[in-house]
Structure formats: structure tokens, C-alpha cells
Amino acid sequence: MTAIIHPTAQVDPGAEIGADVYIGPFAVIESDVAIGANSRIGAHAVIRRYTTLGPRCRVWEHAMLGGEPQDVSFHDQLSRLEIGADNLIREGATIHRATTAGGSTRIGDGNFLMANCHVAHDCKIGDRVIIANGALLAGHVAVADRAFISGNVVVHQFARIGTLAMVGGLARISQDCLPYMITEGSPASARGLNLVGLRRAGFAAETIRALKQAFRTLFRAGRSLHDALAELEASPSPEVRAVAAFARSTKRGFTHGSA
């Protein structure tokens, strides 16, 4: 089937609209936009130039995708916003394209971006990430697969959120958040393992026990960071070794356990 475009929508002839796409009242689709098949664009949503939206996405009312970055050094460089398949982008969410020429802001597949959240320029979001209402991601933030960022969280530029990490509501994140762990508070600290997320993701009990021990080794055993990471790196669990590798690769430091 061909696309269904409401007569009040403004769709530039230079946009590529896939099969079975619905575009609602007063939506604006600029040139150099590609919208994948079976996507739905709500009323008053705006998709700006240099944006690619994968198939089966749904964009709710008043969302704005591909806006120019909020960066004083930006002077209309040609950059992109690339969004994968099966994403849900709720009312009032904003996602900006990259600030560097040839760069891109990237959103993976199967993500859920709730109302009024913001993803700034050059961010990299993995797959099956949830970003709740009002959360704000500054430029160059990286969020790994299946992470959960709760409501009204603020994340500093260049910070990283690890795989299956959970960030608690209202947290102020200025350092990296370790994979598989809950980080919350202001200032933020690692408070424990993301047990609910791990179980929902189907992790084996043995893996969860190994990650619990890794948390104790890092934050409760009184070891130096050097010795704790060495112990994690020797673990037979690939998930525990991934925590150590994430910690080793940090440039901003990572949130430590609470006292």
C-alpha cells in the first residue's frame, strides 16, 4: 500500500516515504528525510532534514527529530540523525543530529523514548533502551543495550551508561554507570545489582551470583581498585569480565558504591 498522508501535513517532495506509512495532521517532513515502511508519524511531529527513520517506528505528537544541535560551535554542518527499526518516540521528545560535519547521532532498534526526553547531538543509543519522561542526555553520551534511564535523570556530556544498567529517577550522572548495576542519587553512586532487569533479560542464576560477587569485590571488600579489577578480570563469567573492561576503559571515571 502507498503512504497515507493527512492533507494538512507538509511533506517535502525530496523526502522518501516508505510503504504503509501514516503521516498525521500538521506534521512536517523536510527534504532529505527517509521514513521506513509501516511507520506512523503523529500530529504536529517534525522530522527535519538529514534524518533516517527505520521501519515500524512510531512517533507521537509534537516530537521533533533531527533538529540542529544546541552547540555554539555548530554552523549548519552536514550531519545526520540515524534511527533504527521498531522505535517508540513519545510526545514532545527531541533528538538532535550531530554537531560535526559527517557525524551522526544514532539510535538503535526497539528503543522506547518517553515523553519530553531529550537526546542531544552525537549521542549513541543501543538497542532496547528505555529513556523515561523528562530525562536529558547531553552531547556525546553513549547508552548500551537494554539500559533503563528513569524519569528526570540528567546525564553529562561524554558519559556512558553500560549494558542493562538502571539509572534511578532524578539522578545526576557525571561519570560512567557500570553495566548491570543500579546507579542513583545526586551525586550518583552505584547502589546494587539491577536484579529485576537481569531476571527479565533471562540471565542465569549462576551469572547473577557472579555479578553480585563482582559488586561486593568492587565496593564492599575493601580492596584497592587495581586489585578488585584484577580479580574481576580473572573471573570465568564473561559478564563480570565485561564490567572490568568497562571500568578500565572509562575516561570520566565511574560511579562508585555508596558508603
Side-chain angles (χ1 to χ4, degrees):
M1 292 179 59
T2 58
I4 299 174
I5 302 175
H6 193 275
T8 62
Q10 297 186 30
V11 179
D12 191 280
E16 298 179 16
I17 309 299
D20 297 322
V21 168
Y22 170 79
I23 300 176
F26 301 102
V28 177
I29 313 297
E30 295 188 346
S31 63
D32 295 303
V33 166
I35 299 177
N38 296 294
S39 292
R40 294 181 60 85
I41 311 301
H44 296 277
V46 176
I47 304 181
R48 302 204 58 191
R49 58 182 180 159
Y50 312 133
T51 297
T52 300
L53 187 69
R56 300 176 304 279
C57 290
R58 186 168 181 190
V59 180
W60 268 258
E61 292 78 9
H62 297 280
M64 196 280 294
L65 311 182
E68 294 180 356
Q70 297 175 137
D71 183 346
V72 294
S73 68
F74 181 77
H75 299 292
D76 203 29
Q77 295 94 321
L78 200 165
S79 60
R80 303 199 65 83
L81 167 60
E82 300 171 355
I83 300 176
D86 301 301
N87 290 289
L88 305 176
I89 302 172
R90 294 301 302 253
E91 301 88 346
T94 56
I95 311 174
H96 289 172
R97 62 185 173 100
T99 194
T100 54
S104 63
T105 302
R106 295 178 185 170
I107 312 291
D109 299 332
N111 299 294
F112 189 4
L113 278 63
M114 296 186 189
N116 299 312
C117 69
H118 175 64
V119 178
H121 61 85
D122 298 281
C123 284
K124 303 292 185 282
I125 310 297
D127 300 333
R128 299 177 68 182
V129 170
I130 296 175
I131 303 177
N133 302 61
L136 307 176
L137 275 58
H140 302 277
V141 166
V143 183
D145 296 349
R146 296 187 178 187
F148 189 108
I149 300 175
S150 301
N152 295 310
V153 168
V154 291
V155 184
H156 196 280
Q157 293 94 331
F158 294 98
R160 300 181 303 159
I161 311 295
T163 301
L164 262 169
M166 179 176 180
V167 184
L170 300 172
R172 175 170 59 86
I173 303 301
S174 58
Q175 293 181 304
D176 295 348
C177 297
L178 291 171
Y180 311 117
M181 296 184 188
I182 296 173
T183 300
E184 59 187 7
S186 180
S189 61
R191 300 295 175 91
L193 208 59
N194 182 14
L195 292 172
V196 172
L198 288 165
R199 289 167 180 157
R200 287 177 177 172
F203 278 63
E206 181 181 357
T207 299
I208 293 174
R209 284 194 295 270
L211 287 168
K212 284 182 178 179
Q213 182 57 48
F215 181 87
R216 288 193 289 267
T217 299
L218 275 172
F219 302 125
R220 298 289 186 266
R223 292 179 175 86
S224 69
L225 180 59
H226 178 272
D227 290 344
L229 290 178
E231 182 172 330
L232 267 57
E233 288 165 339
S235 170
S237 166
E239 289 80 12
V240 171
R241 296 196 302 272
V243 172
F246 184 95
R248 290 281 193 198
S249 64
T250 186
K251 294 181 180 178
R252 298 189 57 82
F254 60 88
T255 56
H256 286 253
S258 56

